[in-house]
Amino acid sequence: MLTTLRSIVQEVNGARDLNEALEIIVSRVQRAMNTEVCSVYLLDPDSNRYILMATEGLYKKAVGNVSLAHSEGLIGLVGSREEPINLEDATAHPRYRYFPETGEERFRSFLGVPIIHHRRVLGVLVVQQRESSRCFDEGEEAFLVTISAQLAGVIAHSEATGAMSGLSLTGQASHDIGFKGVAGSPGVAIGTGVVVYPPADLEAVPDKEVDDTEAEKNLFMAAVMSVREDIELVAERLAPQLRPEELALFEVYLRMLDDNALPGEVMTRIIAGQWAQGALKQVVQQYVRHFEKMGDLYLSERAVDIRDLGRRLLAHLQEGNQEELVYPQETVLVSDELTPAMLGEVPRGQLVGLVSVRGSSNSHVAILARAMGVPTVMGMIDMPVNQLNGRELVVDGFEGQIYASPSADLRLFYQEICDEEDALFRGLEELRDKPCITTDGRRVPLLVNTGLMTDVVRSLSHGAEGIGLYRTEVPFMINERFPSEQEQRAYYREQLEAFAPNDVTMRTLDIGGDKALSYFPISEENPFLGWRGIRVTLDHPEIFLVQVRAMLKASDGLNNLRIMLPMISNVSEVEESLHLIYRVYHEVREEGYDIQMPKVGVMIEIPAAVYQVRDLSHRVDFLSVGSNDLTQYLLAVDRNNPRVASLYHSFHPAVLHALVKIANDAHDAGTPVSICGELAGDPGGAVLLMAMGYDALSMNAASLPKVKSVIRSIDSEWAVKLLHDVLDLDSPHVIKSCVDLALRRAGFGRYLRPGRLSGEAPAAAPASS
Ligand code: PEP
Ligand code: MG
């Protein structure tokens, strides 16, 4: 059964469009279950009706013509109950609806299962049988449920592809269909999509017609030659260590590269007008499908070889055909997985919005986007990214939604929101040099989180009073090797100088988790619980020592450096780090630098550290809470996973109580405590944190003016009362609504667009607007 299941899923995955996918499903399921009828009904979001989209066994002319209202008939019943319905005689059921155009009356037994993707009912998959004595058995029911669960994602994806081209399920023109993801960075952007692909990823290669087929043929032949040479070289190098039968594997590879094998087929497609990369992708996918379908272990292995060959050829093609990406004046960067390096490649001033298929609101690229003030939507899991290239896009970073090729009306609607936001910011500019102080005189220093030099410029113009978190991994991520001590020193000096004499808190390298360095790959089953932050740098003192030395030297003459250690989970990590920092400090002084010992602090972002605040406080000068990680670890919700984004909630009572405990314990031990997680940049979050007694709030530059304007208009007693009220509540959603209501009543409704911290679920696209 498993083999049949796999081969159906693979075949469906390879379908060109939704109709082909559905045709494959009905014919393959009908055959596999040896039943007379298999049909699929999809729920059309426009009409809210189930439409018969494909059938094997009913009259084909009924396809597209038969539809049922949302709760009509047995189909509606399966959809609304969200569970299978298995009947020996469907015609006897009170909800049975008869459609003469289907020829359905001949069939008695009925098994329908819902097709559900991310809680959304997409449709119903049905099998039917003539004799009523043949009731579908438990095994068959389980098979259909499994197939439906596996296919839901593919159907959602194909459905989104059609919607992207402005087509509804029935092929009618349909405008302004919103695609839902996760809000990554607030704001609205209107611009042109530029899709960037990771290198040598066959799946990501788009189809493209070309005129100059000769050039594409030459390019491809050169790639084949190079791959041949590579393989011969590897075989030669390995020959002494391998037995002849193992070496024969390389022969297989080389034979696949013979003119009449894979290259021949690619050439045919190039001659027909496809560019070399697209032709290669198509042929490789066809081979892979073919081999995998055969269900034989040996042949499945050949599918792996073909894929590998395909990747090698593609890598050579991409080398020889590095097309210069042209970035329009208003670029919306789109990728399967955005990386900070991709952001860095867009010319200054031209990046207006970001869209990423993977990742969630607390992925680091989203944090970077917030720091840069670029509206972003993450977690567009069913998005056919290839289709977005060159299209006009609206990125709604408040709602976590995008629109492709918007109508004039929709465009105008969003343009007005952009203008309103601009006006709001201009109104806040006058606050820049005013202190952040409550109406009853409580001073709350507002600091910024930075990573790039652009953040510094923005931060200064927004009136930040220092840097509460400089993410040193950002300059590491945009490099192609570890930056040298000199290079690091230059990066750090820029930050320190820009804010001197105010403090600049530099965090030592925090890589691992979702922050990867291309030149230092870490591959782990469970990266967020693995080798991250201080764990990596203590295991690699050569990296840590160079970094601390660069920081200390960069602070020469300024003495406004503070060093912060990430991902601390026990006191010995602090002691070891302090030992290394002291060592470097003395060495640097011996070299003749007249610097002061910087203050050293730790991040509280692991639940264990929450319970060791007192022990940690005795060893360091300050604490700073990383509420992004603390939320993820307290709630056991991967901050990067769009599937569980709706569970990631920084207003969760457990998070708020932990934050209160940290502030109280730190103050009892006489140690200052600030916060540098994203919660500090949320106007409601900032009010609660101030009420908890946090000594400073560090946030992305874009949030700072709003937070300042709220704090300057309230008194601390009001904030403390609000805090006490919400600490008695047990639901994150109720807490968030309660805080929003309070802010609204205080006149700050305009700051409250739906936000990241409210944990919105990524609904499957498309959602009609
Ligand atoms: C945090 O975890 O809250 C934090 C500030 O660090 P980062 O987001 O860089 O992990
Ligand atoms: Mg963190």
Side-chain angles (χ1 to χ4, degrees):
M1 226 15 142
L2 194 58
T3 330
T4 319
L5 204 89
R6 263 201 208 128
S7 89
I8 298 180
V9 173
Q10 267 152 15
E11 247 187 274
V12 174
N13 264 322
R16 278 188 309 259
D17 54 29
L18 180 61
N19 283 338
E20 187 177 315
L22 299 177
E23 282 302 332
I24 297 173
I25 294 172
V26 292
S27 72
R28 297 282 279 116
V29 170
Q30 186 227 26
R31 224 180 318 145
M33 291 185 68
N34 193 21
T35 170
E36 282 162 302
V37 177
C38 177
S39 316
V40 60
Y41 295 78
L42 291 189
L43 185 61
D44 177 21
D46 281 344
S47 60
N48 204 23
R49 294 179 72 83
Y50 287 97
I51 300 174
L52 174 65
M53 296 292 294
T55 183
E56 199 61 57
L58 299 184
Y59 297 145
K60 292 277 186 194
K61 64 175 189 316
V63 169
N65 295 319
V66 164
S67 73
L68 297 96
H70 185 257
S71 41
E72 190 182 353
L74 289 172
I75 303 299
L77 191 62
V78 174
S80 57
R81 287 182 57 85
E82 300 186 349
E83 62 176 352
I85 291 187
N86 191 352
L87 302 171
E88 204 173 312
D89 185 3
T91 55
H93 193 281
R95 289 288 290 269
Y96 177 74
R97 266 284 270 115
Y98 166 57
F99 292 93
E101 27 319 25
T102 61
E104 201 170 17
E105 67 280 11
R106 294 168 287 149
F107 306 104
R108 303 249 153 208
S109 42
F110 169 102
L111 167 61
V113 302
I115 306 168
I116 301 180
H117 186 59
H118 294 299
R119 298 193 179 191
R120 188 164 79 93
V121 177
L122 301 181
V124 177
L125 184 59
V126 180
V127 284
Q128 287 169 283
Q129 192 68 27
R130 201 179 293 257
E131 342 73 272
S132 60
S133 54
R134 161 114 154 69
C135 186
F136 292 97
D137 67 26
E138 258 181 43
E140 288 170 313
E141 187 175 318
F143 175 79
L144 206 61
V145 169
T146 318
I147 274 279
S148 159
Q150 289 229 19
L151 293 175
V154 190
I155 293 175
H157 188 84
S158 322
E159 207 185 320
T161 308
M164 185 64 71
S165 321
L167 295 178
S168 73
L169 282 182
T170 46
Q172 315 281 329
S174 162
H175 289 298
D176 294 338
I177 296 172
F179 291 84
K180 195 92 175 88
V182 181
S185 168
V188 165
I190 303 174
T192 310
V194 173
V195 179
V196 277
Y197 303 96
D201 178 1
L202 267 178
E203 299 290 323
V205 170
D207 290 334
K208 201 159 83 179
E209 302 282 324
V210 284
D211 293 330
D212 192 355
T213 50
E214 272 312 301
E216 293 298 306
K217 272 160 67 181
N218 292 340
L219 217 57
F220 182 66
M221 281 329 291
V224 173
M225 288 261 287
S226 310
V227 172
R228 268 193 164 279
E229 282 163 18
D230 292 350
I231 293 171
E232 280 161 357
L233 209 73
V234 176
E236 210 175 288
R237 210 176 308 133
L238 292 178
Q241 303 153 39
L242 296 180
R243 294 199 301 269
E245 61 272 26
E246 288 161 347
L247 270 177
L249 187 74
F250 293 97
E251 269 309 305
V252 176
Y253 262 59
L254 290 173
R255 270 208 306 277
M256 289 188 212
L257 287 176
D258 281 349
D259 285 350
N260 51 1
L262 183 135
E265 293 188 38
V266 176
M267 282 300 201
T268 314
R269 288 175 194 246
I270 295 178
I271 293 165
Q274 185 61 228
W275 71 320
Q277 297 188 25
L280 174 68
K281 175 196 73 177
Q282 291 176 356
V283 174
V284 169
Q285 284 183 343
Q286 183 191 328
Y287 267 76
V288 168
R289 273 207 299 276
H290 183 66
F291 283 139
E292 286 180 341
K293 216 163 63 186
M294 293 188 172
D296 170 293
L297 209 58
Y298 173 79
L299 289 172
S300 309
E301 283 306 311
R302 295 289 72 77
V304 177
D305 296 343
I306 288 275
R307 231 187 260 118
D308 183 38
L309 257 189
R311 267 196 294 266
R312 284 164 191 270
L313 286 164
L314 184 66
H316 279 281
L317 281 176
Q318 290 183 332
E319 244 172 52
N321 191 20
Q322 286 288 329
E323 254 185 70
E324 265 298 297
L325 265 183
V326 184
Y327 295 101
Q329 204 49 42
E330 258 109 39
T331 295
V332 174
L333 208 59
V334 183
S335 182
D336 186 47
E337 185 158 29
L338 282 173
T339 64
M342 290 175 181
L343 270 56
E345 274 161 29
V346 184
R348 199 173 273 253
Q350 287 178 224
L351 181 65
V352 298
L354 294 169
V355 178
S356 182
V357 173
R358 292 184 212 205
S360 190
S361 64
N362 281 289
S363 304
H364 283 92
V365 77
I367 292 178
L368 206 63
R370 287 198 286 277
M372 293 164 71
V374 182
T376 300
V377 177
M378 306 285 295
M380 302 286 313
I381 28 191
D382 296 311
M383 184 71 165
V385 263
N386 295 349
Q387 313 262 335
L388 297 182
N389 207 29
R391 279 184 196 251
E392 183 176 44
L393 301 177
V394 171
V395 179
D396 179 347
F398 295 117
E399 296 277 3
Q401 187 140 313
I402 71 162
Y403 296 88
S405 312
S407 64
D409 281 352
L410 192 76
R411 198 180 190 292
L412 186 68
F413 172 78
Y414 275 106
Q415 190 56 54
E416 278 169 6
I417 296 187
C418 288
D419 298 345
E420 259 174 41
E421 281 286 299
D422 286 350
L424 183 64
F425 272 102
R426 273 198 307 279
L428 292 174
E429 261 166 25
E430 58 166 53
L431 293 181
R432 195 185 71 180
D433 299 318
K434 303 211 167 121
C436 180
I437 190 164
T438 57
T439 51
D440 57 332
R442 161 105 196 264
R443 208 44 199 97
V444 188
L446 297 189
L447 314 173
V448 274
N449 299 343
T450 61
L452 299 166
M453 195 51 204
T454 48
D455 305 336
V456 171
V457 179
R458 286 168 55 85
S459 311
L460 287 170
S461 67
H462 284 72
E465 298 171 62
I467 296 183
L469 165 65
Y470 170 49
R471 291 186 166 95
T472 59
E473 56 279 4
V474 176
F476 278 66
M477 284 156 98
I478 54 180
N479 262 285
E480 280 169 4
R481 52 164 175 75
F482 283 114
S484 67
E485 184 185 314
Q486 273 305 328
E487 286 165 340
Q488 290 188 48
R489 197 172 149 181
Y491 290 132
Y492 304 159
R493 182 80 189 178
E494 277 181 337
Q495 305 271 329
L496 291 161
E497 254 174 3
F499 277 90
N502 289 351
D503 284 342
V504 170
T505 305
M506 297 203 167
R507 180 171 72 183
T508 61
L509 194 63
D510 185 17
I511 51 169
D514 69 331
K515 286 181 279 194
L517 300 179
S518 55
Y519 47 89
F520 188 66
I522 301 173
S523 166
E524 290 176 311
E525 286 276 313
N526 213 339
F528 277 115
L529 298 185
W531 208 40
R532 263 199 83 181
I534 201 71
R535 302 171 181 180
V536 177
T537 46
L538 284 179
D539 286 350
H540 276 280
E542 80 282 13
I543 299 174
F544 189 78
L545 290 167
V546 168
Q547 185 173 40
V548 172
R549 192 169 292 120
M551 286 177 181
L552 290 176
K553 288 185 181 171
S555 74
D556 188 21
L558 300 172
N559 290 320
N560 59 340
L561 166 70
R562 308 197 322 161
I563 296 180
M564 183 156 76
L565 309 169
M567 284 293 290
I568 293 293
S569 63
N570 60 56
V571 291
S572 57
E573 286 166 341
V574 181
E575 282 163 357
E576 276 180 69
S577 308
L578 282 171
H579 173 76
L580 293 174
I581 295 171
Y582 277 116
R583 191 180 116 187
V584 179
Y585 169 68
H586 288 297
E587 285 168 4
V588 171
R589 281 189 64 90
E590 271 163 31
E591 282 181 47
Y593 290 87
D594 181 22
I595 49 165
Q596 291 167 8
M597 175 65 192
K599 291 200 163 115
V600 179
V602 294
M603 290 197 68
I604 305 294
E605 50 185 347
I606 294 182
V610 175
Y611 296 96
Q612 286 211 286
V613 162
R614 286 162 199 270
D615 305 311
L616 293 166
S617 293
H618 296 143
R619 289 167 170 85
V620 294
D621 303 304
F622 66 92
L623 306 176
S624 184
V625 178
S627 56
N628 308 336
D629 276 315
L630 188 59
T631 304
Q632 108 161 320
Y633 292 127
L634 274 177
L635 305 183
V637 175
D638 181 343
R639 62 193 267 185
N640 206 27
N641 183 347
R643 284 210 177 88
V644 288
S646 60
L647 297 174
Y648 185 98
H649 220 302
S650 293
F651 287 91
H652 191 292
V655 177
L656 296 185
H657 284 282
L659 291 170
V660 170
K661 176 174 170 53
I662 296 168
N664 290 344
D665 289 357
H667 288 149
D668 286 351
T671 307
V673 60
S674 58
I675 178 157
C676 57
E678 295 296 305
L679 184 62
D682 178 270
V687 169
L688 296 183
L689 292 163
M690 182 195 78
M692 290 176 196
Y694 279 85
D695 299 297
L697 308 178
S698 190
M699 64 201 69
N700 64 68
S703 306
L704 200 140
K706 288 184 188 172
V707 169
K708 193 192 266 188
S709 126
V710 172
I711 291 183
R712 282 177 56 86
S713 317
I714 58 170
D715 71 58
S716 35
E717 220 176 283
W718 180 84
V720 169
K721 161 117 185 29
L722 178 64
L723 175 67
H724 284 152
D725 288 348
V726 300
L727 284 177
D728 282 339
L729 302 172
D730 58 7
S731 147
H733 301 282
V734 178
I735 293 177
K736 177 77 173 107
S737 313
C738 185
V739 172
D740 283 355
L741 185 67
L743 285 187
R744 215 164 256 133
R745 284 192 177 145
F748 295 106
R750 63 194 186 283
Y751 295 168
L752 300 174
R753 306 241 189 213
R756 298 162 307 98
L757 297 160
S758 59
E760 288 158 65
S768 189
S769 65

